[in-house]
Amino acid sequence: MVDPSLRDFERIVFFTGAGMSAESGVPTYRGAGGIWREYDYRRYACQTAFARDPDAVWEFHNFRRELVSRCHPNGGHRLIAWAEALLPRVTVVTQNIDGLHQAAGSRRVFELHGNLWRVRCASCRTSVQDEHVVRHELRCPSCGGWWRPDIVWFGDMLRSDVVMDAERAIRGCDLFVSIGTSAVVYPAAELPLLAVRGGALCVEVNPEETPASEHYQLHLRGPATAMLARLAAGIPELDAALVDP
Ligand code: BV8
């Protein structure tokens, strides 16, 4: 198949996972150097761990906030943001919590698993944006409950409004580009099937095969930025996004 060009489509969804941010220096979760290989999520990234030892969970998340604070959007993030400005309808549905799509300029972003730069009270559920690299204030001023990272841990329900918005965009798209996800975490891993059923052209960008590869018509086996450049070929305005600022 000749690579399709983004310009040929009206409604594009970019479905991203940790591999989207790998070239920015954000560790992926699985595979070589994956964060879950080094840290057991059952000790640092789930409700049980938080109830048992909130300080240890905050120490882990402050470490991740410090790490992500030193990372910047890569050419792939920038290309997607420029595409949103240039093309009729571009949506990002991301499993990532690093906020790099928004930092690159994307506005229509649905974050399935929350955001590392937002906290919410575990008791009264007040939610606030929080850009502190290391968070010291750990108690909610309203009710005295523990602030917790506003991210979706294993066992946490995803926000139904976010899932509904993501499903609506995916059902209606004519191009679905999955980028950098191992397709093993649910219910996010089920979302690409909506694009298949909706008749979209489905493209998988990943250096490796995944359990979802069979659902895609086109497999671009390489890193996100270079593969997105292939999809943007023929759109000179998008070439500029690939140049390091
Ligand atoms: C829930 C927290 C109700 C944030 C994470 C069926 C239905 C529903 C739930 C389940 C189900 N079966 C099992 C469950 C439970 C569970 C689950 O899915 N378990 C799995 C492991 C079997 N799901 C849940 O608990 C979800 N909650 O459904 O609640 C419920 C609960 C229990 C039981 C039933 C129902 C919550 C899921 C969210 C969990 N949160 N992390 C944090 O701390 O960071 S998981 C973690 O995985 C991240 O959120 C991440 O977003 C997600 C997916 O990972 P990927 O993004 O794919 O990253 P990964 O490292 O795996 O892969 C990177 C890929 O990039 C690789 O393929 C690599 O080849 C590629 N790559 C590398 N470099 C590049 C590249 N690609 C391109 N370019 C490169 N340069």
Side-chain angles (χ1 to χ4, degrees):
M1 169 187 265
V2 173
D3 284 354
S5 163
L6 296 179
R7 178 98 67 196
D8 301 330
F9 298 89
E10 292 292 317
R11 298 171 309 286
I12 302 172
V13 168
F14 293 101
F15 177 68
T16 66
M20 179 76 231
S21 298
E23 293 163 81
S24 296
V26 181
T28 59
Y29 291 86
R30 301 162 184 88
I35 202 160
W36 290 155
R37 281 176 175 257
E38 199 173 340
Y39 296 91
D40 181 348
Y41 73 83
R42 286 163 298 195
R43 288 189 60 198
Y44 298 104
C46 69
Q47 192 53 48
T48 311
F50 189 71
R52 182 178 59 239
D53 189 350
D55 285 315
V57 170
W58 265 111
E59 190 179 332
F60 172 62
H61 283 89
N62 280 332
F63 153 71
R64 295 178 71 197
R65 290 157 75 102
E66 279 191 291
L67 189 154
V68 170
S69 69
R70 294 193 294 272
C71 299
H72 305 287
N74 58 50
H77 290 112
R78 289 195 303 274
L79 189 147
I80 289 173
W82 287 37
E84 180 182 345
L86 272 176
L87 303 176
R89 188 68 155 171
V90 170
T91 305
V92 174
V93 175
T94 188
Q95 300 171 83
N96 297 341
I97 62 173
D98 55 33
L100 291 182
H101 281 296
Q102 297 92 320
S106 288
R107 289 291 163 263
R108 198 169 144 75
V109 181
F110 298 128
E111 294 176 309
L112 296 171
H113 295 161
N115 187 296
L116 200 56
W117 302 110
R118 203 170 49 242
V119 294
R120 68 173 158 83
C121 173
S123 304
C124 70
R125 300 188 70 84
T126 306
S127 172
V128 294
Q129 201 64 23
D130 166 39
E131 304 300 335
H132 296 90
V133 173
V134 175
R135 182 165 187 84
H136 296 294
E137 174 53 54
L138 299 182
R139 289 288 187 167
C140 169
S142 310
C143 75
W146 280 93
W147 285 121
R148 56 157 281 181
D150 195 5
I151 57 183
V152 180
W153 284 328
F154 282 112
D156 288 350
M157 296 296 285
L158 281 66
R159 275 183 42 182
S160 54
D161 58 329
V162 173
V163 172
M164 281 170 58
D165 287 339
E167 288 178 342
R168 187 177 306 114
I170 295 171
R171 281 200 184 92
C173 74
D174 54 0
L175 176 64
F176 182 85
V177 185
S178 168
I179 305 167
T181 182
S182 60
V184 298
V185 173
Y186 289 80
E190 290 167 332
L191 292 178
L193 297 179
L194 297 176
V196 175
R197 289 188 205 120
L201 173 65
C202 296
V203 180
E204 182 181 54
V205 173
N206 194 322
E208 298 172 6
E209 194 170 339
T210 72
S213 293
E214 62 178 310
H215 300 304
Y216 293 88
Q217 292 99 323
L218 179 62
H219 305 94
L220 299 181
R221 290 283 176 244
T225 298
M227 297 303 103
L228 280 167
R230 281 175 55 179
L231 291 177
I235 310 176
E237 303 92 323
L238 292 182
D239 289 341
L242 297 166
V243 178
D244 253 336

